[in-house]
Each structure stands twice: as structure tokens, then as C-alpha cells.
Amino acid sequence: MFRIPTITKNLLIINGIAFLATLVLQMQGIDLANIGGLHFFMADDFHFYQLVTYLFLHANFMHILSNMFGLWMFGCVIENVWGPKKFLFYYITCGIGAGLCQELAQFGNFYMTIAEQAPGVGFGELITVGHQLGQQLNTWTTIGASGAVYAVILAFGMSFPNERLFIIPFPFPIKAKWFVLGYVAIEFFSAIGSSGDGVAHTAHLGGMLFGFLMIRYWNKHPDSFDRSRGQQFFENLKRSFDQRQQGGQQHRHNPHMHAEQGGSKEADMEYNARKRQNQEEIDAILDKIRKSGYDSLSKEEKQKLFEASKQ
């Protein structure tokens, strides 16, 4: 049975608790989204801790459902590959990066708004005006885990670019790399357009940008992050294969089992031969990871490990 890894599971739980707390406190007249949501940095209610807390707050049920579904679907795989420590660092860092990009976009919007009324306004004057309008700017608030979740989706696309996904409403599978590029294109054109849909498209792109830069850096410097936790997944995978191999050996030496199978000895030999070959391939891949790191694997080797992890 598929087990949700620790960090992904805890993130799902925390987001769920925060959503329920938002609903309960709202009935008491307390706006948790205003307290923990990410305000524009010139607003009166802005605090630096909001760069983290905004990741765990959502506007409505569909908002949290879509984000948590994406986190569950792709986060489970990435955490198993990278390990909990690296995955959590990536998730939170990309979430903060998404928030910073959203702040930058809001600053640009604020500048253009003021410049329309006062052409040639300087930076110092802009800051002064911003502080004077601090109460009104409190309405510029961002909430949601979308920036971090989009970064996780990007990580999946970069790790397993040729993995095929079934996406509604398309009746055919789509490779992960095209799925991610499609997301980027949609968010990019939505961000530059004047849709006014209330969605922080810049934060989505910002999370993916930070994720892309981080993954590229890790690919070029494979020893820059402690991989001991991440390699635990592969060690567990190897132990699983060892246990299955031992189970196959017990199966061969059980006389009652052979009697029930009516002498299917040749079929058992072929099956065990395939198992041994598969075991040897997995062992070779795991040895390569221990020597050179996960990023040294070829696409075929990564795919084989990915398929083995689902068995």
C-alpha cells in the first residue's frame, strides 16, 4: 500500500488544520488570513513571518483542495527521491521565494499606480506615499501554498521529464516536461495579462523560478546538500528487494508449495532468474547513487527506480 512520506503528510495535516482554524476563528470575528497572510511590505500589517505563514492559509475549499492534491500527487515522489530534509528545505525556500516575487510584482503595480497620478515620482517619495497609504494597502494580501506546490511540480518534471501523466480533460497521456511547460506558459500569460482574477500568478512563477535555480545549482554541485536522508529511501528500497528475494527462496524450498503447483519448476526458475537480474540492476543503480549521487543517474535508471518505488 502506498505510504505518504513524513514531510508531505505533515504539510497536508498542517494545511488542513490551518484551514479549519480559519473557518472557526472567522465565526469568532478573527481573520486568520489577515494575521498570517502575506501583506504588501508597505502595508501597516506587514510582518516578515508572513513570508512563511501565508503558505498554510487558503481562501476556500477548492483553493486548498487543488493545492493539497498537487502536493500529495507530486510531493510524495519527490520526497521519496530527495529525502525529507532536502524536500522540506526546497518547499519552504520556494514558498518564500514565491512570496518575494509577489512582493516585487505588487511594488511594480504600486509604482505604476502612483506614477499615473504623479509622473516622475522618485523612490524616496514613493516610500513616503506608501507609508501614508499603509492602512489601505492592507487589502493587498496573498495566501496559499500554490507557489511552493508549483515548485514541487517543476521538480517532478525535471526529475522525470518523460513520465506520462493523465490530465483531465485530455484523453491521452502527457509527458511531465510538457505538462510543466504548459503550466509555465499559462501562468506567464496570466501574469502579464490584466485578468484581475485575484490569483497570484507572479507567486506561482516565482516559486517555479526559485525551484529551477535551486535544482540547477544542486545538479552542478551534488555535494552541496546533505543527501544522507534522501539516500535512506534507496536503502529501504534495496532492503525491500532483498526481502522479496528471500521470500522467493523460501518459496522454492517449500515442498508443499511445489506439490500444489503440480511441478511448475521451470516456471519458478524463470521467475527467480528474472528477479535476480532485476535485483542486480537495482543494486548497481544504488551503488552508483552512493558513489556519485542521484543526479548522476541516466533517465532510464531514474525511471527504473521510480517504477520500483511504486511496487
Side-chain angles (χ1 to χ4, degrees):
M1 185 176 181
F2 186 72
R3 184 181 67 85
I4 302 177
T6 304
I7 298 300
T8 302
K9 178 176 65 176
N10 288 334
L11 288 173
L12 293 172
I13 293 173
I14 294 172
N15 276 275
I17 292 175
F19 182 70
L20 292 177
T22 301
L23 298 178
V24 172
L25 293 176
Q26 194 172 38
M27 294 186 290
Q28 305 297 324
I30 301 175
D31 188 357
L32 191 59
N34 182 65
I35 298 173
L38 179 60
H39 290 278
F40 181 42
F41 70 89
M42 290 185 183
D44 290 343
D45 292 342
F46 169 77
H47 299 282
F48 282 104
Y49 66 78
Q50 294 169 351
L51 284 167
V52 175
T53 55
Y54 90 99
L55 288 169
F56 302 96
L57 301 172
H58 293 83
N60 50 55
F61 179 73
M62 289 306 300
H63 189 198
I64 188 173
L65 178 64
S66 61
N67 278 339
M68 295 304 100
F69 177 76
L71 175 60
W72 167 78
M73 183 175 181
F74 300 100
C76 289
V77 176
I78 297 303
E79 183 180 349
N80 277 332
V81 172
W82 286 355
K85 183 179 178 181
K86 184 174 181 178
F87 176 73
L88 180 60
F89 177 82
Y90 177 83
Y91 183 89
I92 297 298
T93 302
C94 290
I96 294 174
L100 293 175
C101 289
Q102 179 67 4
E103 291 286 316
L104 183 61
Q106 288 179 337
F107 179 76
N109 188 17
F110 179 72
Y111 172 77
M112 289 187 292
T113 301
I114 299 302
E116 288 179 356
Q117 303 175 11
V121 61
F123 181 78
E125 296 172 321
L126 191 67
I127 298 297
T128 302
V129 173
H131 286 302
Q132 293 174 349
L133 299 176
Q135 188 64 37
Q136 293 90 321
L137 291 175
N138 281 330
T139 58
W140 288 13
T141 309
T142 304
I143 57 175
S146 301
V149 172
Y150 273 52
V152 173
I153 295 174
L154 173 77
F156 181 89
M158 293 181 69
S159 300
F160 306 101
N162 294 316
E163 181 68 19
R164 296 181 181 274
L165 305 173
F166 283 94
I167 308 298
I168 298 174
F170 300 106
F172 50 85
I174 301 175
K175 288 186 177 181
K177 59 184 178 182
W178 303 126
F179 173 70
V180 171
L181 287 175
Y183 252 124
V184 172
I186 292 173
E187 292 300 320
F188 177 76
F189 288 110
S190 298
I192 63 176
S194 56
S195 57
D197 55 5
V199 179
H201 298 289
T202 305
H204 300 173
L205 290 172
M208 298 181 88
L209 174 62
F210 269 71
F212 176 78
L213 295 176
M214 206 178 310
I215 292 173
R216 287 293 301 272
Y217 178 82
W218 285 337
N219 287 342
K220 293 182 179 179
H221 305 84
D223 295 327
S224 61
F225 200 95
D226 180 13
R227 298 191 304 271
S228 60
R229 295 288 186 89
Q231 289 183 354
Q232 183 179 359
F233 164 70
F234 300 107
E235 296 295 339
N236 293 336
L237 182 63
K238 185 178 185 303
R239 283 196 296 269
S240 176
F241 273 89
D242 290 340
Q243 291 172 0
R244 292 175 186 175
Q245 186 179 32
Q246 293 174 2
Q249 292 174 350
Q250 293 175 0
H251 173 81
R252 291 195 302 272
H253 294 292
N254 190 329
H256 300 288
M257 189 72 73
H258 281 288
E260 292 175 1
Q261 291 177 346
S264 57
K265 191 171 183 179
E266 293 183 0
D268 284 346
M269 292 178 64
E270 293 178 359
Y271 173 78
N272 291 325
R274 289 196 302 270
K275 292 290 288 183
R276 283 195 298 271
Q277 182 180 0
N278 194 39
Q279 175 69 44
E280 291 173 358
E281 293 176 356
I282 294 298
D283 288 344
I285 294 175
L286 294 175
D287 288 338
K288 186 175 181 180
I289 293 174
R290 282 189 289 269
K291 293 177 181 178
S292 305
Y294 174 79
D295 294 322
S296 66
L297 299 182
S298 65
K299 294 181 180 179
E300 293 74 15
E301 290 170 332
K302 290 180 180 179
Q303 181 66 25
K304 187 172 185 63
L305 272 180
F306 175 73
E307 293 174 353
S309 67
K310 297 189 293 184
Q311 295 177 357

